[in-house]
């Protein structure tokens, strides 16, 4: 918009304030400071760690708060479940609140399987990041021994390496100590404990998904995760873990028929879930048994409704299990969807040939062709 005509011809001294405004120093808006988070260097979005360092790198530094990560199950639901447990374990160590929902396994059973955090040099120098560190001299000496043992290992034993440390390391051969796990505040949704209620209105969303979405909304509003709530110094992150959505155990028939009667139930739920997350300090990881869904177009719609999407292809029971090319790995990882947050075009991963392996103490993702070349 042009300047008003009445200002033309006035002494330059009277126009100085107008000219000075274009050279005023811009001040940055104050970012929310929450333990276990950091701003993205790409778009300023607040990030949390998935608990798997190489996966954080693949996703652009971590999971953005307010977004959804979809994990397409492997055929035996072992590795996708492992990533979900890493995500929840990272929340426990960072003192985030958890929301765990399942239809088959009780959420308490999932929480009891969380991997144990490794005491490393970061935990020694930053005791607030470690929920339990004893002050006894003998315990301190043992912790220092453990720290020395791990500080000489590569920060990320993977081709996908990040230049800065974010997140923690876990020993999948051990489970998290009960006192550490119980110190975290966890909200549970176990479908058998929520009897179906008939709805007077016709809806494309299943009653199970509707009850889940309602429970999530109640927790977000009651616990102060809504961004519209008054700001306080005690703001926290809600980590949401949803296990095996779309399966018959949720009352969904996506995996049972070529033309499911409830074909839009899960997509309708995802619309509501994303709306909730966009206006709250929450982040969700959900798993879906995509290999059982016959309608690939519908699976594509489910993927597009999530901000991030990866698929795990296990080698168990396939010819690749004995292929020398994959002898060091347990499966392939495919990137289905990357987020478009505060930008016109998303940053595509640099690596295309991705494989994962689960060792005794670490789940890692690597570019197997680069390593072999």
């Amino acid at each position: 918009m042009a300047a008003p005509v009445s200002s033309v011809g006035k002494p330059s001294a009277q126009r100085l304030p107008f000219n000075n405004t274009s050279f005023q120093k811009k001040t940055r808006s104050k970012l929310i400071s929450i333990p276990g988070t950091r701003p993205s260097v790409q778009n300023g979005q607040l990030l949390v760690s998935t608990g798997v360092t190489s996966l954080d790198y693949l996703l652009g530094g971590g999971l953005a708060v307010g977004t959804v990560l979809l994990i397409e199950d492997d055929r035996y639901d072992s590795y996708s479940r492992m990533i979900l447990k890493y995500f929840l374990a990272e929340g426990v160590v960072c003192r985030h609140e958890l929301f765990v929902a399942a239809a088959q396994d009780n959420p308490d059973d999932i929480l009891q399987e969380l991997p144990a955090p490794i005491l490393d040099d970061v935990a020694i120098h930053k005791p607030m990041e470690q929920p339990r560190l004893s002050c006894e001299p003998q315990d301190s000496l043992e912790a220092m021994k453990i720290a020395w043992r791990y500080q000489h290992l590569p920060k990320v034993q993977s081709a996908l390496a990040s230049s800065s440390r974010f997140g923690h390391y876990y020993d999948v051969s051990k489970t998290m100590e009960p006192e550490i796990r119980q110190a975290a505040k966890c909200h549970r949704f176990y479908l058998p404990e929520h009897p179906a209620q008939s709805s007077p209105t016709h809806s494309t969303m299943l009653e199970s998904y509707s009850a889940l979405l309602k429970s999530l909304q109640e927790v977000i509003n009651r616990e102060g995760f809504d961004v519209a709530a008054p700001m306080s110094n005690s703001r926290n992150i809600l980590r949401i873990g949803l296990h095996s959505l779309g399966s018959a155990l949720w009352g969904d028939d996506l995996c049972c028929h070529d033309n499911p009667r409830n074909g839009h139930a899960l997509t309708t739920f995802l619309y509501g879930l994303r709306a909730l997350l966009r206006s709250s300090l929450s982040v969700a990881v959900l798993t879906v048994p995509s290999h059982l869904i016959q309608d690939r177009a519908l699976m594509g719609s489910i993927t597009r409704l999530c901000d991030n999407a990866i698929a795990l292809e296990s080698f168990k029971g396939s010819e690749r299990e004995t292929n020398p090319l994959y002898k060091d790995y347990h499966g392939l990882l495919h990137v289905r969807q990357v987020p478009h947050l505060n930008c016109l075009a998303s940053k595509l991963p640099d690596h295309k040939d991705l494989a994962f392996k689960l060792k005794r103490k670490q789940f890692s993702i690597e570019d197997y062709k680069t390593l072999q070349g």
Side-chain angles (χ1 to χ4, degrees):
M1 184 176 179
V5 178
S6 58
S7 63
V8 179
K10 289 187 178 182
S12 59
Q14 297 181 9
R15 295 200 302 269
L16 281 177
F18 175 79
N19 293 334
N20 287 341
T21 55
S22 61
F23 297 97
Q24 286 183 354
K25 183 179 179 181
K26 294 182 179 180
T27 58
R28 292 184 178 180
S29 57
K30 187 177 181 181
L31 295 175
I32 301 176
S33 179
I34 300 176
T37 67
R38 71 176 180 185
S40 169
V41 296
Q42 299 174 4
N43 52 32
Q45 195 80 18
L46 197 64
L47 302 178
V48 299
S49 173
T50 61
V52 180
T53 311
S54 50
L55 182 57
D56 289 341
Y57 177 83
L58 185 65
L59 298 177
L63 275 179
V65 174
T67 63
V68 182
L69 168 63
L70 166 68
I71 304 176
E72 296 185 26
D73 287 344
D74 52 286
R75 293 185 178 275
Y76 297 95
D77 187 28
S78 56
Y79 299 109
S80 57
R81 184 186 177 100
M82 177 61 65
I83 295 180
L84 180 63
K85 289 188 289 187
Y86 267 102
F87 171 74
L88 296 174
E90 182 68 17
V92 172
V93 175
C94 293
R95 299 184 180 181
H96 297 161
E97 291 192 27
L98 308 180
F99 183 101
V100 184
Q104 179 180 7
D105 298 327
N106 193 302
D108 288 329
D109 296 335
I110 297 177
L111 292 171
Q112 289 176 4
E113 298 173 357
L114 298 186
I118 295 175
L119 297 176
D120 58 2
D121 50 336
V122 175
I124 297 299
H125 294 298
K126 297 181 179 180
M128 290 301 293
E129 294 184 3
Q130 186 69 21
R132 180 181 177 271
L133 285 177
S134 176
C135 296
E136 296 295 329
Q138 185 63 31
D139 291 343
S140 299
L141 180 60
E142 183 64 24
M144 291 177 66
K145 290 179 180 179
I146 296 174
W148 181 85
R149 188 184 310 158
Y150 285 101
Q151 69 182 357
H152 298 289
L153 294 178
K155 288 299 181 183
V156 183
Q157 298 173 354
S158 163
L160 303 181
S162 175
S163 59
S164 60
R165 169 67 182 271
F166 188 44
H168 300 80
Y169 298 120
Y170 299 88
D171 184 349
V172 296
S173 65
K174 300 178 182 179
T175 57
M176 187 177 292
E177 296 182 10
E179 52 266 33
I180 299 179
R181 187 181 68 249
Q182 294 168 4
K185 188 172 183 179
C186 181
H187 311 275
R188 300 163 178 83
F189 182 94
Y190 185 39
L191 185 59
E193 297 177 354
H194 293 263
Q197 298 179 356
S198 58
S199 176
T201 59
H202 296 283
S203 174
T204 57
M205 191 187 304
L206 287 175
E207 294 173 357
S208 57
Y209 294 150
S210 179
L212 174 58
L213 196 63
K214 181 180 179 182
S215 179
L216 262 173
Q217 187 171 15
E218 289 175 352
V219 170
I220 288 174
N221 294 335
R222 182 179 69 247
E223 303 297 329
F225 293 105
D226 195 329
V227 294
M231 293 294 294
S232 64
N233 295 330
S234 60
R235 297 304 290 268
N236 204 352
I237 299 296
L238 178 65
R239 288 178 177 246
I240 303 168
L242 310 177
H243 183 251
S244 199
L245 294 184
S247 69
L249 296 170
W250 285 93
D252 208 334
D253 60 349
L254 284 179
C255 303
C256 306
H257 305 285
D258 294 340
N259 298 310
R261 182 168 53 90
N262 301 315
H264 298 289
L266 183 54
T267 53
T268 304
F269 168 79
L270 290 175
Y271 271 113
L273 176 64
R274 287 184 64 181
L276 272 180
L277 297 186
R278 287 295 193 268
S279 59
S280 65
L281 294 174
S282 308
V283 60
V285 171
L286 61 94
T287 65
V288 172
S290 61
H291 60 282
L292 298 177
I293 299 177
Q294 303 299 322
D295 190 338
R296 305 317 298 171
L298 180 57
M299 188 60 219
S301 298
I302 294 172
T303 300
R304 287 188 293 272
L305 283 171
C306 299
D307 302 286
N308 308 271
I310 60 174
L312 303 177
E313 181 184 351
S314 174
F315 291 157
K316 289 183 179 179
S318 69
E319 60 181 12
R320 286 175 174 169
E321 191 173 12
T322 57
N323 190 326
L325 180 63
Y326 307 110
K327 61 184 178 62
D328 296 326
Y329 303 99
H330 294 101
L332 299 178
L333 186 143
H334 308 283
V335 179
R336 304 291 198 207
Q337 178 87 357
V338 290
H340 300 71
L341 301 171
N342 300 338
C343 58
L344 296 176
S346 58
K347 182 181 181 297
L348 296 175
D350 298 330
H351 307 274
K352 304 296 183 183
D353 304 301
L354 300 172
F356 64 86
K357 59 184 177 182
L358 180 61
K359 291 187 175 180
R360 180 175 175 270
K361 294 182 181 297
Q362 187 179 18
F363 181 96
S364 62
I365 303 167
E366 299 178 352
D367 186 336
Y368 62 92
K369 287 191 177 180
T370 299
L371 292 182
Q372 293 172 352

